[in-house]
């Protein structure tokens, strides 16, 4: 088979402070820089990235034709300029690929651009228009996709992750490959069914290591491959959705593919019913920074593993800039001991501290520079420079594992019993190495604050004595009822068991 392979990944938080421009897609972050041409086929080797799993599963016996692949850190809208430039590359690469039997795209599913609510729907529409109605078009999606009717309509199949933390990204690419082989070999179209849920699920409650998501994804796996009198179910995906997105089609969706309409509908309905029943269990407890720090100081003890505070509202994986200082200020105010926050984004402070050198004491105005929390001001104080690094290291945890990270110049600072890892690039703290490469073992900490919502649980969960989700200033609003939505569809419940949007 000749299979065209590409990708265009962005998770858009329409309430975030900064947009994703072309440069954001061109550069490397925790994932590789923009790839094009033959180099793409080896750029992802060993990484937990969907296209890596796809290439691995599809390369032997087939010819893979590279299209453009790129991703940017989650943020506000993708600029029109970036979207149009990247789509022009993708369509040009498709033309150059000549003839092919199928197309695979590594997409996120929650992209909003300056000019389209449904970024992936538009990507799939343009690719479909270029390849015609008969060539199978399969895309893998993030579990946080806000799947739209257009996406389902244009693609032959959408195959989503089943874990959050996303430890199965490469595995999902491989599942997409299996499904694509099946489509090409059978030559037959699969029936599709889509079911929308009518409530938003808070990000931190979507974690698949805890209930109710753990059981729901068990049901998803069990339903795929199921054979009934109606036929065989070939693929089932449940996307929990990315909530901070003010578009009518925001929210959780179930998509199923099967031999027959009846089998697809039965499978999708079965999962959707279970998700509806689980609604009360998706409510979550949020701590204030003050209470969380006081609790952590009172309950942390040496050798037990850190109490981990998730600074979810400033999660760079969900549109935060990673530079708000609410919890950091609280740690200092309450004189916490053996505490560390990671990773604070502040290139200016990292540069000043690095210039001063290890062992120096330096006066800094730390963090709060990008407007992620409009009421905050930088934290003024004197800090000891504990370590200076180039921010280049190999991630080792189950989430980022295998990725070469480039955080830019990075420093570890200390004031009293509180330390902070400061980097020159944004990065969600979801890998021990992000701290350990600065010479500090996070297992030895009493209190660890991470700028992450859920992904940190993959690597930090096993060592944590307790996890508290904290509501401290930042653009990724955890209490969805506080977001100034204006464009959701009528009746959608913004929180589990909450009130319907636009219903008074
Ligand atoms: Zn995700």
């Amino acid at each position: 088979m000749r299979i065209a392979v590409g990708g265009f990944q962005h998770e858009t938080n329409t309430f975030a402070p900064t947009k994703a421009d072309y440069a954001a897609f061109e550069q490397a972050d925790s994932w590789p820089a923009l790839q094009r041409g033959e180099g793409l086929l080896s750029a992802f080797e060993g990484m937990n990235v969907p296209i890596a799993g796809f290439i691995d599963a599809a390369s032997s016996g087939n010819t893979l034709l590279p299209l453009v692949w790129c991703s940017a850190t989650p943020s506000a809208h993708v600029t029109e300029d970036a979207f149009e430039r990247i789509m022009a590359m993708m369509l040009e690469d498709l033309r150059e690929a000549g003839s092919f039997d199928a197309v695979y795209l590594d997409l996120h599913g929650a992209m909003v651009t300056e000019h389209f609510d449904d970024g992936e729907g538009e990507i799939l529409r343009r690719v479909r228009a270029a390849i015609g109605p008969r060539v199978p078009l399969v895309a893998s999606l993030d579990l946080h996709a806000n799947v739209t009717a257009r996406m389902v309509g244009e693609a032959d199949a959408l195959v989503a992750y089943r874990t959050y933390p996303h430890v199965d990204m490469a595995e999902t690419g491989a599942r997409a490959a299996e499904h694509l082989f099946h489509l090409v070999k059978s030559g037959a179209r699969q029936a599709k069914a889509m079911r929308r849920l009518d409530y938003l699920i808070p990000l931190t409650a979507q974690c698949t290591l805890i209930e109710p998501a753990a059981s729901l994804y068990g049901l998803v796996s069990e339903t795929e491959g199921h054979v009934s009198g109606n036929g065989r179910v070939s693929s089932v995906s449940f996307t929990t959705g990315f909530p901070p997105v003010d578009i009518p089609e925001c929210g959780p969706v179930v998509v199923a593919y099967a031999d027959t309409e009846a089998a697809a509908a039965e499978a999708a309905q079965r999962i959707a019913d279970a998700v509806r029943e689980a609604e009360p269990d998706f409510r979550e407890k949020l701590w204030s920074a003050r209470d969380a720090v006081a609790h952590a100081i009172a309950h942390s003890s040496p050798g037990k593993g850190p109490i981990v505070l998730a600074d979810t509202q400033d999660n760079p994986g969900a549109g935060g800039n990673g530079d708000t200082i609410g919890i950091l200020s609280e740690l200092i105010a309450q004189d916490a001991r053996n505490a560390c926050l990671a990773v604070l984004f502040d290139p200016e402070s990292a540069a000043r501290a690095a210039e001063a050198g290890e062992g120096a004491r330096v006066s800094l105005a730390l963090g709060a520079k990008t407007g992620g929390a409009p009421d905050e001001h930088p934290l003024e104080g004197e800090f000891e420079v504990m370590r200076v690094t180039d921010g280049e290291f190999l991630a080792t945890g189950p989430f980022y594992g295998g990725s070469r990270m480039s955080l830019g110049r990075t420093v570890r600072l200390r004031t009293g019993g509180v330390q902070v890892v400061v980097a020159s690039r944004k990065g969600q703290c979801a890998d021990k190495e992000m701290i350990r490469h600065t010479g500090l073992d996070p297992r030895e900490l009493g209190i660890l604050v991470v700028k992450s919502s859920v992904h940190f649980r993959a690597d930090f969960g096993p060592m944590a004595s307790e996890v508290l989700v904290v509501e401290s200033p930042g653009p990724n609003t955890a209490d969805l009822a506080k977001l100034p939505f204006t464009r959701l569809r009528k009746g959608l419940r913004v929180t589990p068991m909450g009130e319907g949007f636009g219903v008074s």
Side-chain angles (χ1 to χ4, degrees), residues 11 108 142-145 161 163-164 166 169 203 206 242 317 399 455:
E11 182 180 74
H108 183 287
D142 195 283
L143 171 139
H144 296 116
Y161 314 160
T163 61
Y164 182 31
H166 303 328
M169 291 189 277
L203 274 179
Q206 295 181 5
F242 190 57
F399 175 63
H455 287 315

Side-chain angles (χ1 to χ4, degrees), residues 286-290 292 309-313 327 468-472 478:
L286 292 170
W287 292 72
S288 70
R290 176 178 294 185
L309 277 55
D311 193 357
T312 179
Q313 300 205 121
I327 304 180
L468 313 178
V469 179
V470 184
E471 193 180 17
S472 174

Side-chain angles (χ1 to χ4, degrees), residues 99-117:
S99 69
F100 36 78
D101 302 297
V103 178
Y104 162 72
L105 295 178
D106 174 3
L107 305 177
H108 183 287
M111 178 193 292
V112 183
T113 73
E114 286 175 330
H115 55 328
F116 296 108
D117 275 353

Side-chain angles (χ1 to χ4, degrees), residues 406-424:
S406 303
L407 295 180
R409 187 143 50 173
T410 299
V411 296
R412 177 162 53 85
L413 307 172
R414 188 177 76 86
T415 175
V418 178
Q419 306 200 58
V420 51
V421 176
V422 183
S424 299

